Structure formats: C-alpha cells, structure tokens
Amino acid sequence: MAILDVTEHQDLLLSLASRLPAVPRQDLYGFLDAAHKLAQELPYEVSDTLDAFNQVGNEDGYLLLRGLPVEPEDELPATPTSTPAPVERGRLNMEAFLAIIGRRLGLHTGYAELRSGTVYHDVYPSPGAHHLSSETSETLLEFHTEMAYHTLQPNYVLLACSRADHERKAQTLVGSIRKALRLLDEETIDRLYDAKQPCEVDVAFRGGIEDPGAIAKVKPLYGPQDDPLLGYDRELLKPHEGADAEAVAKLSQALDDVTEGVFLTPGDLLIIDNFRTTHARTPFSPRWDGKDRWLHRVYIRTNSQGQLPTGGERAGDVITFTPRR
C-alpha cells in the first residue's frame, strides 16, 4: 500500500498532536521523547502500516499518509523566507505529525553541516537558491538519494505539507530500485553491484571549499543481491568513463521509466525509503506573497543498514559528516 487515507482518524490524530509540548524547539529532545510515547497510541491501521513499511518497505519506495489535519489557511503563519525557524515558533500540526510518525519509524537526526544542524527543516522557495538546494523552485531538483555519500545517510526522508504551491504543479518524483531493477540486464546489474564510483557532495558538506571534487565513493547497487539498495545522485555521481558510465546511464533511464509523481497537498505526509529510491521535484512558480509552497522535512535513522552504530543515539541528535569511502 503506497497511499493511506487517514481522514477518518483526524480527531484522534489531532488529539495526539495537542498533547505535545507547545514550543518544540525549546526542548527538542523532550518534544521527540513525548512524541515517542504518543506514537504508541496511533490508530492500529496507521501503526500497522508504518511498521510494515519500516520492516520490508514496498515496491513503490514510498508511503503517503493523506488527510492529516492541517491548520486552516487563515491560521497558518506566512510561508518562511529564512532558515532556521525561530526557537520560539509554536507547534504546527504537520511538525507534530512528523514527530509522532517519525518516532514510530526511528530517530530524528540533524546533520551539523546542513541548515545549521537543525533537525526540522522548512522547505520553501527562495530567490537565487543554489540548483542543488531544496529551496529551488523554477528549475527541476534532480534525482538524488538523500546524502548517498554520507556514511550515516538517513533511512527515511519525511516531507509534510502545510501549504501547496499556488498552481498545484509541483510534484515529488520517486523512482524505486525494486521496479527499476526489472528493466536492467544482468551484465549491467553486475557492473553496478558493489562497484564504488566517485561522487561529489552537496554544497553544505564541502567544508567551505567551492569545488573539492569527488571526495566520496558510492556504490550504485549494494546490499542483498536479490533485493539491492540504491546509491544514486544524477548531479553528483561521477562514474568512471566507459563501461561504468554506460551502466549508470542505463540505471538512470530505468529509474526514469518507473518514476511516479506525487502531488503533495495540505495534510499529506510522504515517507521516502532513502535506501531503495531516488527522488526529485518538478519546477513550480512562486509568487512571494507569503502563501507559497511550504513543506516540513525531517530525516530518520533506524537500526537497519547500520545507521545507528553506537546503540546510544537519541532522537534529536546532530551528527557530523564522514564521506563514504
């Protein structure tokens, strides 16, 4: 199941959200600890679906919860124009659900070099944003596995929508390796599997160096041979010339061929399996009127794929960058 409509549970879900602390960023550890307890009270339909997705995923590579209760438009603050969010900003419904749903899955994680190490990210259009940034709007944000070059990349990317773009044009695109793999021949799969390829990193992780080059090495396919994981970034992955580049090109085409588009509307919460998909966002036109598209993003790590190496991690921890080698 890729889409779960939770409209019938709105009253219960809103009640759970209301029991969270009113100002999340004053004590984020406490906020997320409270969310963990509330996650045990989710409706069975929701908790069972989340647990199943967490354990085995699905063919589509994402799970969309639709129909969460969002604030009425006249009660919602203006779409932000700067980051990070003020510490004193009060709890928003979609941030509350990112806390509760996220804690059902794993641990919220901040990345020290990204967005000042904050755990919650506002995603909104920004004039002149770097083409690799989520703040772009009028150009395609290309396919990428989030932080595929990071040893502790998130297991899940969660996007919650408080406000859609004016024209309802923006799509989040998701390409699943479980679908794309069927389109690849055995020779290509063998070429890609466990083959480390040079990979650049996003601007935030370059240590102030404008172009440090391909400082990481990423395997396009790895893990279980019968159900491989995906490491892919259309902008940053720089495969070796020749057979490797040809194999990555075939992988790119296969991912394009199986891509699904998701239109996020207010009350939607999208969970992307970051080890088995690549995702992108189509262009849209902001109006800079305080009502532009506004998403909230968190990254979740779980016990799978070795993303919690010490066993003592907490939801809300901020970690530093180590490139994959």
Side-chain angles (χ1 to χ4, degrees), residues 185-197 220-221 241-248:
D185 59 79
E186 289 299 325
E187 182 179 353
T188 298
I189 294 172
D190 290 344
R191 170 64 63 172
L192 294 169
Y193 187 81
D194 266 352
K196 294 181 179 180
Q197 302 296 328
L221 297 179
E241 294 184 4
D244 286 342
E246 292 174 8
V248 170

Side-chain angles (χ1 to χ4, degrees), residues 1 10 47 52 71 127 157 190 198:
M1 178 189 298
Q10 280 193 351
S47 59
E71 290 86 354
V157 180
D190 290 344

